[in-house]
Amino acid sequence: MPLLEARNVVMRFGGVTAVAGVSFDVEAGQICGLIGPNGAGKTTLFNVVSGIYRPSGGEVRFAGQTITRMPRHRMATLGIGRTFQNLALFRSMTVRGNVIAGAHSGGRSGFLANALSLPSARAEGAAAAERTGELLSLLSLAPLADMRVADLPFGVQKRVEMARALACRPKLLLLDEPAGGLNHAEVDELAELLEQVRAGFDVTILLVEHHMGLVMRVSDKVVALNFGRKIADGPPDEVRASPEVLRAYLGDGQCAEAVHAA
């Protein structure tokens, strides 16, 4: 059984169909890249998968469970973490504070237990602190742990958000434009980091990304969209050579030249 299944997903906004019957699977342990030109519907589909949008039709299943109508606040407890294209960090808090907030998102002790500092709450707090320390070390954030997020470079803030998403121990990590705003050296570091994260935390990754070099380098499979429809689904080399994908990015004339040259 795939870890993530999208079946005939449709998303309409009024009279506009942003996603038109898209289906794809992501196996446990895979890195899957979701690509397409601007307006292809990939971010909309990503938001359906993460529970931000409720689809007009179709179904999304995670670990065999339908999550299509599930409240978005339950996604973390199910085992789904995500980052955002526009950083959604607590900018006045420290790096450590941001990450530990993610670790507490899966906590089970309630307000009263925490207010009274009951043993269950103290145990959760200790586990969250330990998890935070591990993540700060893995993502090379430990020396910056007590700095305010607002005072850090954009590329570092991206790593903080990834650390926070990993803090709730997700089985599936959804990354929205993780390379956005990064320079070439930072993109190379990100590629290595994604491999480390997958191996070190036994996590499956679905990423929406415009940086084709990164997608083709790290992905086990790639799903390509155009005008809300799936036009390719398979290994990176196969998708990269697809005439439909070349046409979507280059247009008919340049597509023909690229196919001929290949």
Side-chain angles (χ1 to χ4, degrees):
M1 180 188 301
L3 182 66
L4 178 68
E5 305 169 79
R7 292 287 175 265
N8 299 312
V9 173
V10 176
M11 189 70 213
R12 300 187 185 93
F13 298 98
V16 177
T17 300
V19 178
V22 172
S23 299
F24 70 95
D25 298 333
V26 182
E27 302 288 341
Q30 282 188 327
I31 297 178
C32 177
L34 189 59
I35 66 170
N38 289 332
K42 54 189 182 297
T43 298
T44 300
L45 179 59
F46 197 75
N47 285 334
V48 169
V49 170
S50 62
I52 291 179
Y53 294 156
R54 289 191 173 182
S56 309
E59 181 183 38
V60 178
R61 296 176 64 83
F62 174 70
Q65 180 179 1
T66 299
I67 61 172
T68 312
R69 304 294 173 185
M70 191 168 289
R72 70 188 68 170
H73 67 268
R74 287 198 55 201
M75 294 298 176
T77 56
L78 278 179
I80 301 175
R82 77 161 287 177
T83 65
F84 293 84
Q85 182 177 355
N86 298 317
L87 294 174
L89 293 168
F90 302 109
R91 292 177 55 79
S92 62
M93 289 172 57
T94 64
V95 170
R96 189 191 311 277
N98 270 274
V99 179
I100 207 165
H104 280 299
S105 66
R108 298 186 180 278
S109 59
F111 172 78
L112 187 59
N114 281 276
L116 297 177
S117 191
L118 297 181
S120 61
R122 293 200 302 273
E124 280 190 359
E130 182 179 0
R131 175 71 168 178
T132 297
E134 293 173 356
L135 289 166
L136 293 176
S137 177
L138 175 69
L139 275 71
S140 302
L141 292 169
L144 309 173
D146 297 317
M147 291 187 63
R148 284 197 326 151
V149 164
D151 298 329
L152 298 173
F154 184 75
V156 176
Q157 291 186 35
K158 286 264 189 177
R159 276 191 281 137
V160 175
E161 190 175 40
M162 187 183 298
R164 189 178 64 182
L166 286 166
C168 65
R169 300 183 183 275
K171 298 175 185 175
L172 175 66
L173 180 62
L174 306 174
L175 301 178
D176 190 358
E177 300 277 5
L182 303 185
N183 60 38
H184 291 300
E186 289 170 332
V187 170
D188 287 340
E189 291 173 0
L190 174 62
E192 295 175 4
L193 179 60
L194 292 179
E195 292 287 1
Q196 292 172 10
V197 165
R198 171 168 60 173
F201 293 96
D202 191 24
V203 66
T204 303
I205 298 174
L206 174 65
L207 68 152
V208 170
E209 185 53 67
H210 281 290
H211 196 291
M212 295 297 289
L214 174 69
V215 173
M216 297 302 171
R217 176 177 170 182
V218 304
S219 299
D220 300 297
K221 71 175 292 184
V222 176
V223 177
L225 304 180
N226 195 28
F227 295 114
R229 298 184 181 278
K230 186 175 74 173
I231 57 174
D233 182 349
D237 288 342
E238 180 182 307
V239 171
R240 178 170 26 209
S242 165
E244 286 292 324
V245 173
L246 291 171
R247 187 174 294 111
Y249 279 95
L250 302 176
D252 288 331
Q254 293 184 57
C255 172
E257 292 177 10
V259 171
H260 179 72

